[in-house]
Amino acid sequence: MTQIIWNGLFVGSFYALVALGYSMVYGIMKLLNFAHGDLYMVGAFVGFALLTSFSGFTATLSLVALLVVLLLSMVGTGLAGVAIERIAYRPLRNAPRLSLLITAVGASFALEYGMRIVAGPNPQVYPVRLGGSSVHVLGARIGVAQLVLIGVAIALMVALNAMVMRSRQGRAMRAIALDPVASRLMGVDVNRVIARAFFIGSALAGAAGVMAGSYYGSINFLMGFIIGLKAFTAAVIGGIGSFKGAMLGGVVLGLLEAFGTHYLGGQWRDVFAFAFLILFLTVRPTGLLGERVTERV
């Protein structure tokens, strides 16, 4: 039982990192950015390119090199997210929601098959593979690499929450989420704040991509599709638009998959997760921490 819970928490930390980007963008723009999962894939490939370029350095200091590459990949993926917002979403900000949704799907396919052209259709083996020793806690086998990765994920989530709740930029994001027109009238640079939100959300997805590549050892150009769906599921379970809800939803989804895999088998993992989403939304449509919003007419 302890091993199942640990496996769920480990996978859930990846889902939570990507789900935070969904919640940030939706909270500010009310946009379902379906290209967000593919930024996870872009981050994995940026890390792959950097690790391949500095293979001599990474061979001697694998963990230190991986942390440096993680930061660089976050910057690269964040800039890619800003570029997508500037080119694809900003010109359509006042357009009907359906236009934005179709644009997001198009951006997703552009990233996937653009990476297929650049990196090829075959899976790539990650230059650095985290393995090493493990410890046993209450009957569960916990790898040192897992502890490092989940520690990095928690640190990133705590830093994001502190930035949003305590910094000036975080207050600007929350103000735009409440009323973008009033925020603009009060002197808030809405375009800059939205671009910064895309940068942060994309950087977190890129970090998750690098961590997944270094742990699982293989990446491919379609790896962002399924985790994008699952991160979206996690955001909905937690209450889309809520940062704490995205974190909680990621953990819940990871635990559901771990228990579903153990009791039903790996082939039923995704069926179990999405079936739970459907049943859950019939009972609580706003998610675990979501608030019911009433529109004034």
Side-chain angles (χ1 to χ4, degrees), residues 34-295:
F34 285 115
H36 189 69
D38 296 293
L39 289 167
Y40 164 90
M41 175 270 297
V42 170
F45 274 97
V46 170
F48 173 81
L50 291 172
L51 289 169
T52 303
S53 302
F54 301 103
S55 56
F57 176 67
T58 58
T60 54
L61 298 170
S62 60
L63 185 57
V64 176
L66 185 62
L67 293 176
V68 173
V69 167
L70 179 72
L71 294 175
L72 294 175
S73 299
M74 289 175 68
V75 173
T77 313
L79 293 175
V82 171
I84 291 172
E85 188 275 330
R86 182 67 183 85
I87 296 169
Y89 299 146
R90 189 177 297 182
L92 298 174
R93 193 172 295 166
N94 297 320
R97 296 282 175 84
L98 183 60
S99 301
L100 276 169
L101 187 64
I102 294 172
T103 302
V105 174
S108 173
F109 283 121
L111 288 174
E112 288 174 5
Y113 290 95
M115 189 59 71
R116 185 183 189 278
I117 294 172
V118 173
N122 298 322
Q124 304 288 338
V125 178
Y126 227 63
V128 171
R129 177 77 184 274
L130 291 180
S133 58
S134 61
V135 295
H136 289 80
V137 179
L138 300 176
R141 182 177 177 273
I142 300 175
V144 175
Q146 290 178 314
L147 287 173
V148 171
L149 293 179
I150 203 170
V152 171
I154 291 172
L156 290 173
M157 288 186 276
V158 170
L160 174 64
N161 186 66
M163 188 276 291
V164 170
M165 300 306 297
R166 299 181 183 178
S167 72
R168 183 178 179 182
Q169 290 300 321
R171 287 195 297 272
M173 290 180 186
R174 287 183 280 133
I176 294 173
L178 288 174
D179 194 331
V181 176
S183 299
R184 192 187 302 273
L185 292 174
M186 293 298 292
V188 176
D189 189 338
V190 174
N191 288 334
R192 179 175 294 180
V193 174
I194 289 176
R196 188 172 285 113
F198 267 87
F199 179 89
I200 295 171
S202 303
L204 292 176
V210 173
M211 290 192 291
S214 62
Y215 183 75
Y216 294 111
S218 177
I219 60 175
N220 63 81
F221 73 98
L222 290 176
M223 64 183 289
F225 176 74
I226 189 65
I227 197 167
L229 288 178
K230 290 185 177 180
F232 174 67
T233 302
V236 172
I237 289 174
I240 193 161
S242 167
F243 293 157
K244 293 179 181 178
M247 301 178 203
L248 179 61
V251 172
V252 169
L253 183 61
L255 290 171
L256 284 171
E257 286 195 355
F259 279 98
T261 300
H262 178 75
Y263 290 110
L264 301 177
Q267 69 272 22
W268 289 94
R269 181 182 61 182
D270 296 340
V271 176
F272 184 74
F274 291 117
F276 174 82
L277 173 66
I278 296 170
L279 294 174
F280 176 79
L281 290 179
T282 61
V283 178
R284 191 172 177 83
T286 58
L288 292 171
L289 300 182
E291 297 179 358
R292 190 178 297 275
V293 177
T294 303
E295 269 189 45

